[in-house]
Amino acid sequence: MADSSWPGCAKSLKGVILDLCGVLYDSGEGDGVAIPGSIEAVKRLKESDLQLRFCTNETQATREKFVAKLQRLGFDISVCEVFPPAPAAISVLKERGLRPHLLVHDGLLQEFEAVEKTNPNCVIIADAAENFSYQNLNEAFRVLIGLEKPILFSLGQGRYYKETDGLKLDVGVYMKALEYACDLKAEVIGKPSPTFFQSVLSDMGLKPHEALMIGDDLVNDVGGAQCCGMKGVQVRTGKYRPSDERHPTVIADATVDNLAHAVEVILSQRGLEA
Amino acid sequence: MADSSWPGCAKSLKGVILDLCGVLYDSGEGDGVAIPGSIEAVKRLKESDLQLRFCTNETQATREKFVAKLQRLGFDISVCEVFPPAPAAISVLKERGLRPHLLVHDGLLQEFEAVEKTNPNCVIIADAAENFSYQNLNEAFRVLIGLEKPILFSLGQGRYYKETDGLKLDVGVYMKALEYACDLKAEVIGKPSPTFFQSVLSDMGLKPHEALMIGDDLVNDVGGAQCCGMKGVQVRTGKYRPSDERHPTVIADATVDNLAHAVEVILSQRGLEA
């Protein structure tokens, strides 16, 4: 069933990029829970002629562990299809000869195991959850304030996300905290950084207008994708709030109830309805 | 000995306002330590014909306990001379019929004992130090995001302060964090709020040009006082950093090594040199 608010671009699409948390599943205790209909929706996309990638600001675990969790939840997904910020950050560190002080989730440390970290000349923060203690934030601050030219990388800039037991503060909040403390501007690696979206498009070999991003974060998923020339669709799951539909600057190309609905409309418009 | 960089205004002065932490003492383990020469400097000001008040963003203890600590360090100081943000905040709550959720230092809770706090319709944050855990910040965030018209009060907006074991993040950092999380602007109670400085001037019965502020925080002490029409002098103790003397917008009327030096110059210019 076609939705009248849907932009009639589905026929010219060649690829779809999905956010993970809030679109495929809600994080929380244990592995979290799959959002109803999303396992089947991913399966339908995979069976279609569309390319599919997953673009996430997830940084609480290594890519391998994170993908294993999604597989346990029932999703047909493999490591090479998933683009999180940490591997992108490691490339940047290498290019610029930087040694990071890390303020990240314990689960992400392994990803940085091979990275030189002694005598740090930059700070990397990611969604560290409980590790965002006063002491740890103060330690990151002292590293930055002690550098002649402080460099702060933030893996994403989200305000908050939704877990099964409620909203949780995300890394962007602590990025703003350190920016103010040290009077600097962080470099964001992850969504909505255009270089990050571009790396996913390159992997698919697609131009921006050939791809569609579906996410629950209006600014970072939808707005970020639109800034790159892609279409951006918001789902009413995860961190979605009704006020998103009255946002002063970011207007989604469509807002749909959930991923299952989005996929149904896309495939139906392409004449591939199951 | 007069300093050539000193603005020759000492003779027309009628009152001096001193910041506390970083000017009289450095906080840290136990009571902290008095900055050399400052006990004698306060004594000399008290023996002069100048009025003296203390204007602080200190919020780690009730005013009574805080003043008792300064007395133990050797300072001649009494409760009625000290202006911290918490009593000012309580007045604002009463005026506007607000019930706060508090994210403050344990030592400050007693100050708010008589304040109605059930079913909160605003959040107050102050320098909470170790209480700025992820869980506590998230709790304050959830209160704000759940209000139709979220109101956040920040007792001060400092970036950091100096304790005996190094620099520590101050409340302003967490104010910025919650501002970003909830997309709002906090109301600052304390320095550099003009109403806060004005309350001290009113207590002395002085006009702004008759008073001088001495502090270690260029923006909140010096800049704040200057915005009210007072002179502002920075001391090179506490959180002072050499880069303060190249600040793009705030230029102190004078920068001196410490409080003892400032008092020596003021009294010497007034012909009261000891």
mmCIF file with all atom_site columns, all heavy atoms in Angstrom, chain A residues 129 134 137-138 142 157 159 167-169 180, chain B residues 129 134 138 142 157 159 167-169 174 180:
data_model
loop_
_atom_site.group_PDB
_atom_site.id
_atom_site.type_symbol
_atom_site.label_atom_id
_atom_site.label_alt_id
_atom_site.label_comp_id
_atom_site.label_asym_id
_atom_site.label_entity_id
_atom_site.label_seq_id
_atom_site.pdbx_PDB_ins_code
_atom_site.Cartn_x
_atom_site.Cartn_y
_atom_site.Cartn_z
_atom_site.occupancy
_atom_site.B_iso_or_equiv
_atom_site.pdbx_formal_charge
_atom_site.auth_seq_id
_atom_site.auth_comp_id
_atom_site.auth_asym_id
_atom_site.auth_atom_id
_atom_site.pdbx_PDB_model_num
ATOM 1   N N   . ALA A 1 129 ? 28.510 5.678  28.133 1.00 0.00 ? 129 ALA A N   1
ATOM 2   C CA  . ALA A 1 129 ? 27.484 5.352  29.138 1.00 0.00 ? 129 ALA A CA  1
ATOM 3   C C   . ALA A 1 129 ? 28.039 5.547  30.557 1.00 0.00 ? 129 ALA A C   1
ATOM 4   O O   . ALA A 1 129 ? 28.532 6.622  30.872 1.00 0.00 ? 129 ALA A O   1
ATOM 5   C CB  . ALA A 1 129 ? 26.932 3.955  28.920 1.00 0.00 ? 129 ALA A CB  1
ATOM 6   N N   . TYR A 1 134 ? 32.452 11.526 36.495 1.00 0.00 ? 134 TYR A N   1
ATOM 7   C CA  . TYR A 1 134 ? 33.114 12.827 36.670 1.00 0.00 ? 134 TYR A CA  1
ATOM 8   C C   . TYR A 1 134 ? 34.622 12.661 36.527 1.00 0.00 ? 134 TYR A C   1
ATOM 9   O O   . TYR A 1 134 ? 35.293 13.452 35.859 1.00 0.00 ? 134 TYR A O   1
ATOM 10  C CB  . TYR A 1 134 ? 32.777 13.401 38.043 1.00 0.00 ? 134 TYR A CB  1
ATOM 11  C CG  . TYR A 1 134 ? 33.399 14.758 38.276 1.00 0.00 ? 134 TYR A CG  1
ATOM 12  C CD1 . TYR A 1 134 ? 32.947 15.881 37.594 1.00 0.00 ? 134 TYR A CD1 1
ATOM 13  C CD2 . TYR A 1 134 ? 34.455 14.928 39.177 1.00 0.00 ? 134 TYR A CD2 1
ATOM 14  C CE1 . TYR A 1 134 ? 33.518 17.124 37.791 1.00 0.00 ? 134 TYR A CE1 1
ATOM 15  C CE2 . TYR A 1 134 ? 35.025 16.170 39.375 1.00 0.00 ? 134 TYR A CE2 1
ATOM 16  C CZ  . TYR A 1 134 ? 34.550 17.267 38.690 1.00 0.00 ? 134 TYR A CZ  1
ATOM 17  O OH  . TYR A 1 134 ? 35.123 18.495 38.874 1.00 0.00 ? 134 TYR A OH  1
ATOM 18  N N   . LEU A 1 137 ? 35.662 12.050 32.805 1.00 0.00 ? 137 LEU A N   1
ATOM 19  C CA  . LEU A 1 137 ? 35.512 13.248 31.970 1.00 0.00 ? 137 LEU A CA  1
ATOM 20  C C   . LEU A 1 137 ? 36.592 14.264 32.337 1.00 0.00 ? 137 LEU A C   1
ATOM 21  O O   . LEU A 1 137 ? 37.166 14.929 31.476 1.00 0.00 ? 137 LEU A O   1
ATOM 22  C CB  . LEU A 1 137 ? 34.118 13.862 32.147 1.00 0.00 ? 137 LEU A CB  1
ATOM 23  C CG  . LEU A 1 137 ? 33.704 14.817 31.022 1.00 0.00 ? 137 LEU A CG  1
ATOM 24  C CD1 . LEU A 1 137 ? 33.514 14.081 29.699 1.00 0.00 ? 137 LEU A CD1 1
ATOM 25  C CD2 . LEU A 1 137 ? 32.435 15.574 31.371 1.00 0.00 ? 137 LEU A CD2 1
ATOM 26  N N   . ASN A 1 138 ? 36.890 14.338 33.644 1.00 0.00 ? 138 ASN A N   1
ATOM 27  C CA  . ASN A 1 138 ? 37.921 15.261 34.104 1.00 0.00 ? 138 ASN A CA  1
ATOM 28  C C   . ASN A 1 138 ? 39.296 14.867 33.555 1.00 0.00 ? 138 ASN A C   1
ATOM 29  O O   . ASN A 1 138 ? 40.104 15.723 33.186 1.00 0.00 ? 138 ASN A O   1
ATOM 30  C CB  . ASN A 1 138 ? 37.955 15.269 35.636 1.00 0.00 ? 138 ASN A CB  1
ATOM 31  C CG  . ASN A 1 138 ? 38.422 16.587 36.194 1.00 0.00 ? 138 ASN A CG  1
ATOM 32  O OD1 . ASN A 1 138 ? 37.763 17.609 35.987 1.00 0.00 ? 138 ASN A OD1 1
ATOM 33  N ND2 . ASN A 1 138 ? 39.572 16.588 36.841 1.00 0.00 ? 138 ASN A ND2 1
ATOM 34  N N   . ARG A 1 142 ? 41.753 17.086 31.256 1.00 0.00 ? 142 ARG A N   1
ATOM 35  C CA  . ARG A 1 142 ? 43.136 17.434 31.609 1.00 0.00 ? 142 ARG A CA  1
ATOM 36  C C   . ARG A 1 142 ? 44.106 17.108 30.476 1.00 0.00 ? 142 ARG A C   1
ATOM 37  O O   . ARG A 1 142 ? 45.071 17.830 30.266 1.00 0.00 ? 142 ARG A O   1
ATOM 38  C CB  . ARG A 1 142 ? 43.562 16.708 32.886 1.00 0.00 ? 142 ARG A CB  1
ATOM 39  C CG  . ARG A 1 142 ? 42.905 17.297 34.120 1.00 0.00 ? 142 ARG A CG  1
ATOM 40  C CD  . ARG A 1 142 ? 43.447 16.641 35.384 1.00 0.00 ? 142 ARG A CD  1
ATOM 41  N NE  . ARG A 1 142 ? 42.750 17.118 36.561 1.00 0.00 ? 142 ARG A NE  1
ATOM 42  C CZ  . ARG A 1 142 ? 43.059 16.750 37.796 1.00 0.00 ? 142 ARG A CZ  1
ATOM 43  N NH1 . ARG A 1 142 ? 44.062 15.905 38.007 1.00 0.00 ? 142 ARG A NH1 1
ATOM 44  N NH2 . ARG A 1 142 ? 42.384 17.215 38.827 1.00 0.00 ? 142 ARG A NH2 1
ATOM 45  N N   . GLN A 1 157 ? 27.428 12.593 17.400 1.00 0.00 ? 157 GLN A N   1
ATOM 46  C CA  . GLN A 1 157 ? 27.098 13.788 18.179 1.00 0.00 ? 157 GLN A CA  1
ATOM 47  C C   . GLN A 1 157 ? 25.649 13.748 18.636 1.00 0.00 ? 157 GLN A C   1
ATOM 48  O O   . GLN A 1 157 ? 25.015 14.780 18.834 1.00 0.00 ? 157 GLN A O   1
ATOM 49  C CB  . GLN A 1 157 ? 27.378 15.062 17.361 1.00 0.00 ? 157 GLN A CB  1
ATOM 50  C CG  . GLN A 1 157 ? 26.549 15.161 16.095 1.00 0.00 ? 157 GLN A CG  1
ATOM 51  C CD  . GLN A 1 157 ? 26.720 16.503 15.397 1.00 0.00 ? 157 GLN A CD  1
ATOM 52  O OE1 . GLN A 1 157 ? 27.685 17.223 15.599 1.00 0.00 ? 157 GLN A OE1 1
ATOM 53  N NE2 . GLN A 1 157 ? 25.748 16.868 14.570 1.00 0.00 ? 157 GLN A NE2 1
ATOM 54  N N   . ARG A 1 159 ? 22.232 13.434 20.809 1.00 0.00 ? 159 ARG A N   1
ATOM 55  C CA  . ARG A 1 159 ? 21.840 14.005 22.099 1.00 0.00 ? 159 ARG A CA  1
ATOM 56  C C   . ARG A 1 159 ? 21.460 12.889 23.074 1.00 0.00 ? 159 ARG A C   1
ATOM 57  O O   . ARG A 1 159 ? 21.874 12.896 24.224 1.00 0.00 ? 159 ARG A O   1
ATOM 58  C CB  . ARG A 1 159 ? 20.633 14.928 21.921 1.00 0.00 ? 159 ARG A CB  1
ATOM 59  C CG  . ARG A 1 159 ? 20.948 16.173 21.109 1.00 0.00 ? 159 ARG A CG  1
ATOM 60  C CD  . ARG A 1 159 ? 19.665 16.875 20.672 1.00 0.00 ? 159 ARG A CD  1
ATOM 61  N NE  . ARG A 1 159 ? 19.952 17.871 19.660 1.00 0.00 ? 159 ARG A NE  1
ATOM 62  C CZ  . ARG A 1 159 ? 20.148 19.160 19.918 1.00 0.00 ? 159 ARG A CZ  1
ATOM 63  N NH1 . ARG A 1 159 ? 20.054 19.606 21.141 1.00 0.00 ? 159 ARG A NH1 1
ATOM 64  N NH2 . ARG A 1 159 ? 20.431 19.999 18.958 1.00 0.00 ? 159 ARG A NH2 1
ATOM 65  N N   . LEU A 1 167 ? 15.082 6.970  27.961 1.00 0.00 ? 167 LEU A N   1
ATOM 66  C CA  . LEU A 1 167 ? 16.056 7.739  27.187 1.00 0.00 ? 167 LEU A CA  1
ATOM 67  C C   . LEU A 1 167 ? 17.393 7.800  27.930 1.00 0.00 ? 167 LEU A C   1
ATOM 68  O O   . LEU A 1 167 ? 17.434 7.920  29.151 1.00 0.00 ? 167 LEU A O   1
ATOM 69  C CB  . LEU A 1 167 ? 15.536 9.157  26.948 1.00 0.00 ? 167 LEU A CB  1
ATOM 70  C CG  . LEU A 1 167 ? 14.247 9.280  26.119 1.00 0.00 ? 167 LEU A CG  1
ATOM 71  C CD1 . LEU A 1 167 ? 13.839 10.751 26.009 1.00 0.00 ? 167 LEU A CD1 1
ATOM 72  C CD2 . LEU A 1 167 ? 14.421 8.684  24.730 1.00 0.00 ? 167 LEU A CD2 1
ATOM 73  N N   . LYS A 1 168 ? 18.485 7.754  27.171 1.00 0.00 ? 168 LYS A N   1
ATOM 74  C CA  . LYS A 1 168 ? 19.831 7.827  27.747 1.00 0.00 ? 168 LYS A CA  1
ATOM 75  C C   . LYS A 1 168 ? 20.648 8.887  27.021 1.00 0.00 ? 168 LYS A C   1
ATOM 76  O O   . LYS A 1 168 ? 20.590 8.990  25.785 1.00 0.00 ? 168 LYS A O   1
ATOM 77  C CB  . LYS A 1 168 ? 20.545 6.480  27.566 1.00 0.00 ? 168 LYS A CB  1
ATOM 78  C CG  . LYS A 1 168 ? 19.841 5.322  28.228 1.00 0.00 ? 168 LYS A CG  1
ATOM 79  C CD  . LYS A 1 168 ? 20.547 4.889  29.496 1.00 0.00 ? 168 LYS A CD  1
ATOM 80  C CE  . LYS A 1 168 ? 19.724 3.852  30.231 1.00 0.00 ? 168 LYS A CE  1
ATOM 81  N NZ  . LYS A 1 168 ? 20.504 2.712  30.672 1.00 0.00 ? 168 LYS A NZ  1
ATOM 82  N N   . LEU A 1 169 ? 21.449 9.612  27.770 1.00 0.00 ? 169 LEU A N   1
ATOM 83  C CA  . LEU A 1 169 ? 22.311 10.636 27.182 1.00 0.00 ? 169 LEU A CA  1
ATOM 84  C C   . LEU A 1 169 ? 23.338 9.997  26.254 1.00 0.00 ? 169 LEU A C   1
ATOM 85  O O   . LEU A 1 169 ? 23.936 8.974  26.583 1.00 0.00 ? 169 LEU A O   1
ATOM 86  C CB  . LEU A 1 169 ? 23.032 11.411 28.285 1.00 0.00 ? 169 LEU A CB  1
ATOM 87  C CG  . LEU A 1 169 ? 22.133 12.316 29.125 1.00 0.00 ? 169 LEU A CG  1
ATOM 88  C CD1 . LEU A 1 169 ? 22.903 12.825 30.337 1.00 0.00 ? 169 LEU A CD1 1
ATOM 89  C CD2 . LEU A 1 169 ? 21.615 13.482 28.298 1.00 0.00 ? 169 LEU A CD2 1
ATOM 90  N N   . TYR A 1 180 ? 33.095 23.127 25.573 1.00 0.00 ? 180 TYR A N   1
ATOM 91  C CA  . TYR A 1 180 ? 32.975 24.327 26.412 1.00 0.00 ? 180 TYR A CA  1
ATOM 92  C C   . TYR A 1 180 ? 34.139 24.409 27.398 1.00 0.00 ? 180 TYR A C   1
ATOM 93  O O   . TYR A 1 180 ? 34.738 25.474 27.578 1.00 0.00 ? 180 TYR A O   1
ATOM 94  C CB  . TYR A 1 180 ? 31.648 24.282 27.157 1.00 0.00 ? 180 TYR A CB  1
ATOM 95  C CG  . TYR A 1 180 ? 31.391 25.462 28.064 1.00 0.00 ? 180 TYR A CG  1
ATOM 96  C CD1 . TYR A 1 180 ? 31.130 26.725 27.542 1.00 0.00 ? 180 TYR A CD1 1
ATOM 97  C CD2 . TYR A 1 180 ? 31.393 25.311 29.450 1.00 0.00 ? 180 TYR A CD2 1
ATOM 98  C CE1 . TYR A 1 180 ? 30.883 27.809 28.378 1.00 0.00 ? 180 TYR A CE1 1
ATOM 99  C CE2 . TYR A 1 180 ? 31.134 26.384 30.293 1.00 0.00 ? 180 TYR A CE2 1
ATOM 100 C CZ  . TYR A 1 180 ? 30.881 27.634 29.756 1.00 0.00 ? 180 TYR A CZ  1
ATOM 101 O OH  . TYR A 1 180 ? 30.643 28.705 30.582 1.00 0.00 ? 180 TYR A OH  1
ATOM 102 N N   . ALA B 1 129 ? 30.654 17.956 41.451 1.00 0.00 ? 129 ALA B N   1
ATOM 103 C CA  . ALA B 1 129 ? 31.872 17.123 41.453 1.00 0.00 ? 129 ALA B CA  1
ATOM 104 C C   . ALA B 1 129 ? 31.531 15.664 41.172 1.00 0.00 ? 129 ALA B C   1
ATOM 105 O O   . ALA B 1 129 ? 30.892 15.376 40.173 1.00 0.00 ? 129 ALA B O   1
ATOM 106 C CB  . ALA B 1 129 ? 32.645 17.304 42.757 1.00 0.00 ? 129 ALA B CB  1
ATOM 107 N N   . TYR B 1 134 ? 27.142 9.572  35.339 1.00 0.00 ? 134 TYR B N   1
ATOM 108 C CA  . TYR B 1 134 ? 26.277 9.400  34.160 1.00 0.00 ? 134 TYR B CA  1
ATOM 109 C C   . TYR B 1 134 ? 24.832 9.237  34.602 1.00 0.00 ? 134 TYR B C   1
ATOM 110 O O   . TYR B 1 134 ? 23.920 9.849  34.042 1.00 0.00 ? 134 TYR B O   1
ATOM 111 C CB  . TYR B 1 134 ? 26.731 8.181  33.362 1.00 0.00 ? 134 TYR B CB  1
ATOM 112 C CG  . TYR B 1 134 ? 25.906 7.954  32.115 1.00 0.00 ? 134 TYR B CG  1
ATOM 113 C CD1 . TYR B 1 134 ? 26.008 8.814  31.029 1.00 0.00 ? 134 TYR B CD1 1
ATOM 114 C CD2 . TYR B 1 134 ? 25.015 6.892  32.027 1.00 0.00 ? 134 TYR B CD2 1
ATOM 115 C CE1 . TYR B 1 134 ? 25.254 8.619  29.882 1.00 0.00 ? 134 TYR B CE1 1
ATOM 116 C CE2 . TYR B 1 134 ? 24.256 6.684  30.889 1.00 0.00 ? 134 TYR B CE2 1
ATOM 117 C CZ  . TYR B 1 134 ? 24.376 7.549  29.811 1.00 0.00 ? 134 TYR B CZ  1
ATOM 118 O OH  . TYR B 1 134 ? 23.623 7.348  28.690 1.00 0.00 ? 134 TYR B OH  1
ATOM 119 N N   . ASN B 1 138 ? 21.824 11.771 33.706 1.00 0.00 ? 138 ASN B N   1
ATOM 120 C CA  . ASN B 1 138 ? 20.721 11.206 32.933 1.00 0.00 ? 138 ASN B CA  1
ATOM 121 C C   . ASN B 1 138 ? 19.379 11.439 33.635 1.00 0.00 ? 138 ASN B C   1
ATOM 122 O O   . ASN B 1 138 ? 18.374 11.721 32.991 1.00 0.00 ? 138 ASN B O   1
ATOM 123 C CB  . ASN B 1 138 ? 20.962 9.703  32.735 1.00 0.00 ? 138 ASN B CB  1
ATOM 124 C CG  . ASN B 1 138 ? 20.346 9.195  31.461 1.00 0.00 ? 138 ASN B CG  1
ATOM 125 O OD1 . ASN B 1 138 ? 20.743 9.594  30.378 1.00 0.00 ? 138 ASN B OD1 1
ATOM 126 N ND2 . ASN B 1 138 ? 19.344 8.343  31.582 1.00 0.00 ? 138 ASN B ND2 1
ATOM 127 N N   . ARG B 1 142 ? 16.189 13.433 32.179 1.00 0.00 ? 142 ARG B N   1
ATOM 128 C CA  . ARG B 1 142 ? 14.848 12.860 32.036 1.00 0.00 ? 142 ARG B CA  1
ATOM 129 C C   . ARG B 1 142 ? 13.779 13.748 32.669 1.00 0.00 ? 142 ARG B C   1
ATOM 130 O O   . ARG B 1 142 ? 12.665 13.843 32.161 1.00 0.00 ? 142 ARG B O   1
ATOM 131 C CB  . ARG B 1 142 ? 14.789 11.460 32.645 1.00 0.00 ? 142 ARG B CB  1
ATOM 132 C CG  . ARG B 1 142 ? 15.529 10.431 31.804 1.00 0.00 ? 142 ARG B CG  1
ATOM 133 C CD  . ARG B 1 142 ? 15.346 9.038  32.380 1.00 0.00 ? 142 ARG B CD  1
ATOM 134 N NE  . ARG B 1 142 ? 16.129 8.050  31.641 1.00 0.00 ? 142 ARG B NE  1
ATOM 135 C CZ  . ARG B 1 142 ? 16.107 6.738  31.885 1.00 0.00 ? 142 ARG B CZ  1
ATOM 136 N NH1 . ARG B 1 142 ? 15.331 6.269  32.843 1.00 0.00 ? 142 ARG B NH1 1
ATOM 137 N NH2 . ARG B 1 142 ? 16.844 5.909  31.182 1.00 0.00 ? 142 ARG B NH2 1
ATOM 138 N N   . GLN B 1 157 ? 28.537 29.306 35.871 1.00 0.00 ? 157 GLN B N   1
ATOM 139 C CA  . GLN B 1 157 ? 28.754 28.712 34.541 1.00 0.00 ? 157 GLN B CA  1
ATOM 140 C C   . GLN B 1 157 ? 30.242 28.535 34.281 1.00 0.00 ? 157 GLN B C   1
ATOM 141 O O   . GLN B 1 157 ? 30.702 28.570 33.137 1.00 0.00 ? 157 GLN B O   1
ATOM 142 C CB  . GLN B 1 157 ? 28.114 29.566 33.455 1.00 0.00 ? 157 GLN B CB  1
ATOM 143 C CG  . GLN B 1 157 ? 28.675 30.981 33.382 1.00 0.00 ? 157 GLN B CG  1
ATOM 144 C CD  . GLN B 1 157 ? 28.135 31.757 32.186 1.00 0.00 ? 157 GLN B CD  1
ATOM 145 O OE1 . GLN B 1 157 ? 27.086 31.452 31.641 1.00 0.00 ? 157 GLN B OE1 1
ATOM 146 N NE2 . GLN B 1 157 ? 28.871 32.776 31.768 1.00 0.00 ? 157 GLN B NE2 1
ATOM 147 N N   . ARG B 1 159 ? 33.985 27.030 33.729 1.00 0.00 ? 159 ARG B N   1
ATOM 148 C CA  . ARG B 1 159 ? 34.475 25.893 32.931 1.00 0.00 ? 159 ARG B CA  1
ATOM 149 C C   . ARG B 1 159 ? 35.222 24.912 33.829 1.00 0.00 ? 159 ARG B C   1
ATOM 150 O O   . ARG B 1 159 ? 35.036 23.714 33.755 1.00 0.00 ? 159 ARG B O   1
ATOM 151 C CB  . ARG B 1 159 ? 35.432 26.392 31.849 1.00 0.00 ? 159 ARG B CB  1
ATOM 152 C CG  . ARG B 1 159 ? 34.757 27.260 30.800 1.00 0.00 ? 159 ARG B CG  1
ATOM 153 C CD  . ARG B 1 159 ? 35.795 27.983 29.936 1.00 0.00 ? 159 ARG B CD  1
ATOM 154 N NE  . ARG B 1 159 ? 35.160 29.009 29.140 1.00 0.00 ? 159 ARG B NE  1
ATOM 155 C CZ  . ARG B 1 159 ? 34.748 28.844 27.887 1.00 0.00 ? 159 ARG B CZ  1
ATOM 156 N NH1 . ARG B 1 159 ? 34.933 27.696 27.289 1.00 0.00 ? 159 ARG B NH1 1
ATOM 157 N NH2 . ARG B 1 159 ? 34.166 29.816 27.240 1.00 0.00 ? 159 ARG B NH2 1
ATOM 158 N N   . LEU B 1 167 ? 43.347 20.790 37.896 1.00 0.00 ? 167 LEU B N   1
ATOM 159 C CA  . LEU B 1 167 ? 42.127 21.429 37.419 1.00 0.00 ? 167 LEU B CA  1
ATOM 160 C C   . LEU B 1 167 ? 40.950 20.450 37.482 1.00 0.00 ? 167 LEU B C   1
ATOM 161 O O   . LEU B 1 167 ? 41.097 19.268 37.216 1.00 0.00 ? 167 LEU B O   1
ATOM 162 C CB  . LEU B 1 167 ? 42.312 21.910 35.979 1.00 0.00 ? 167 LEU B CB  1
ATOM 163 C CG  . LEU B 1 167 ? 43.395 22.971 35.743 1.00 0.00 ? 167 LEU B CG  1
ATOM 164 C CD1 . LEU B 1 167 ? 43.497 23.315 34.248 1.00 0.00 ? 167 LEU B CD1 1
ATOM 165 C CD2 . LEU B 1 167 ? 43.111 24.235 36.549 1.00 0.00 ? 167 LEU B CD2 1
ATOM 166 N N   . LYS B 1 168 ? 39.776 20.994 37.823 1.00 0.00 ? 168 LYS B N   1
ATOM 167 C CA  . LYS B 1 168 ? 38.557 20.176 37.906 1.00 0.00 ? 168 LYS B CA  1
ATOM 168 C C   . LYS B 1 168 ? 37.437 20.828 37.101 1.00 0.00 ? 168 LYS B C   1
ATOM 169 O O   . LYS B 1 168 ? 37.263 22.055 37.153 1.00 0.00 ? 168 LYS B O   1
ATOM 170 C CB  . LYS B 1 168 ? 38.089 20.081 39.371 1.00 0.00 ? 168 LYS B CB  1
ATOM 171 C CG  . LYS B 1 168 ? 39.108 19.458 40.299 1.00 0.00 ? 168 LYS B CG  1
ATOM 172 C CD  . LYS B 1 168 ? 38.736 18.044 40.674 1.00 0.00 ? 168 LYS B CD  1
ATOM 173 C CE  . LYS B 1 168 ? 39.860 17.404 41.457 1.00 0.00 ? 168 LYS B CE  1
ATOM 174 N NZ  . LYS B 1 168 ? 39.402 16.676 42.631 1.00 0.00 ? 168 LYS B NZ  1
ATOM 175 N N   . LEU B 1 169 ? 36.660 20.009 36.430 1.00 0.00 ? 169 LEU B N   1
ATOM 176 C CA  . LEU B 1 169 ? 35.526 20.516 35.661 1.00 0.00 ? 169 LEU B CA  1
ATOM 177 C C   . LEU B 1 169 ? 34.493 21.163 36.580 1.00 0.00 ? 169 LEU B C   1
ATOM 178 O O   . LEU B 1 169 ? 34.173 20.638 37.639 1.00 0.00 ? 169 LEU B O   1
ATOM 179 C CB  . LEU B 1 169 ? 34.863 19.374 34.882 1.00 0.00 ? 169 LEU B CB  1
ATOM 180 C CG  . LEU B 1 169 ? 35.700 18.805 33.741 1.00 0.00 ? 169 LEU B CG  1
ATOM 181 C CD1 . LEU B 1 169 ? 35.056 17.533 33.205 1.00 0.00 ? 169 LEU B CD1 1
ATOM 182 C CD2 . LEU B 1 169 ? 35.878 19.831 32.640 1.00 0.00 ? 169 LEU B CD2 1
ATOM 183 N N   . TYR B 1 174 ? 28.589 21.017 32.595 1.00 0.00 ? 174 TYR B N   1
ATOM 184 C CA  . TYR B 1 174 ? 27.389 20.176 32.659 1.00 0.00 ? 174 TYR B CA  1
ATOM 185 C C   . TYR B 1 174 ? 26.137 20.962 32.278 1.00 0.00 ? 174 TYR B C   1
ATOM 186 O O   . TYR B 1 174 ? 25.165 20.401 31.794 1.00 0.00 ? 174 TYR B O   1
ATOM 187 C CB  . TYR B 1 174 ? 27.290 19.530 34.048 1.00 0.00 ? 174 TYR B CB  1
ATOM 188 C CG  . TYR B 1 174 ? 28.392 18.521 34.232 1.00 0.00 ? 174 TYR B CG  1
ATOM 189 C CD1 . TYR B 1 174 ? 29.631 18.886 34.768 1.00 0.00 ? 174 TYR B CD1 1
ATOM 190 C CD2 . TYR B 1 174 ? 28.236 17.211 33.790 1.00 0.00 ? 174 TYR B CD2 1
ATOM 191 C CE1 . TYR B 1 174 ? 30.669 17.971 34.883 1.00 0.00 ? 174 TYR B CE1 1
ATOM 192 C CE2 . TYR B 1 174 ? 29.257 16.288 33.909 1.00 0.00 ? 174 TYR B CE2 1
ATOM 193 C CZ  . TYR B 1 174 ? 30.471 16.671 34.459 1.00 0.00 ? 174 TYR B CZ  1
ATOM 194 O OH  . TYR B 1 174 ? 31.495 15.758 34.548 1.00 0.00 ? 174 TYR B OH  1
ATOM 195 N N   . TYR B 1 180 ? 22.430 21.207 25.514 1.00 0.00 ? 180 TYR B N   1
ATOM 196 C CA  . TYR B 1 180 ? 22.470 20.521 24.222 1.00 0.00 ? 180 TYR B CA  1
ATOM 197 C C   . TYR B 1 180 ? 21.493 19.345 24.218 1.00 0.00 ? 180 TYR B C   1
ATOM 198 O O   . TYR B 1 180 ? 20.747 19.151 23.251 1.00 0.00 ? 180 TYR B O   1
ATOM 199 C CB  . TYR B 1 180 ? 23.888 20.043 23.944 1.00 0.00 ? 180 TYR B CB  1
ATOM 200 C CG  . TYR B 1 180 ? 24.063 19.316 22.630 1.00 0.00 ? 180 TYR B CG  1
ATOM 201 C CD1 . TYR B 1 180 ? 23.969 19.997 21.418 1.00 0.00 ? 180 TYR B CD1 1
ATOM 202 C CD2 . TYR B 1 180 ? 24.323 17.950 22.597 1.00 0.00 ? 180 TYR B CD2 1
ATOM 203 C CE1 . TYR B 1 180 ? 24.139 19.332 20.206 1.00 0.00 ? 180 TYR B CE1 1
ATOM 204 C CE2 . TYR B 1 180 ? 24.493 17.281 21.389 1.00 0.00 ? 180 TYR B CE2 1
ATOM 205 C CZ  . TYR B 1 180 ? 24.402 17.973 20.191 1.00 0.00 ? 180 TYR B CZ  1
ATOM 206 O OH  . TYR B 1 180 ? 24.573 17.311 19.002 1.00 0.00 ? 180 TYR B OH  1
#
